[in-house]
């Protein structure tokens, strides 16, 4: 089995000024990826909630308005 080659710095040696900047860059990249994944997850959930919750929300708002209609009056097309 072939060994894997890592492109990340291993933390061995003196490092110098470049390793601190590289670590900050990796942290920023990780944070950006986390935000991207979280926002994608949130948008998918919001889409499902909106899809299945819009019509029940309209019916509930309609039933709480004045004059108070019956459910059959809200659902009839006339």
């Amino acid at each position: 089995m072939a060994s894997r080659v890592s492109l990340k710095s291993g933390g061995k040696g003196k490092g110098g000024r470049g390793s601190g900047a590289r670590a900050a860059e990796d942290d920023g990249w990780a944070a950006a990826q986390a935000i991207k994944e979280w926002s994608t997850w949130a948008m998918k959930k919001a889409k499902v909630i909106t899809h299945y919750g819009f019509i029940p929300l309209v019916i509930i708002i309609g039933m709480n308005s004045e004059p108070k209609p019956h459910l059959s009056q809200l659902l009839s097309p006339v």
Side-chain angles (χ1 to χ4, degrees), residues 14-59:
K14 294 187 179 186
R17 292 191 324 190
S19 66
R22 187 173 295 135
E25 182 179 313
D26 289 343
D27 290 342
W29 182 81
Q33 282 297 108
I35 291 171
K36 182 178 177 183
E37 290 174 9
W38 183 86
S39 63
T40 302
W41 176 85
M43 290 304 293
K44 285 181 181 180
K45 297 297 179 189
K47 182 179 176 183
V48 171
I49 291 169
T50 303
H51 181 81
Y52 289 108
F54 181 73
I55 291 179
L57 178 67
V58 170
I59 291 172

Side-chain angles (χ1 to χ4, degrees), residues 72-78:
S72 60
Q73 291 174 326
L74 283 173
L75 298 177
S76 68
V78 178

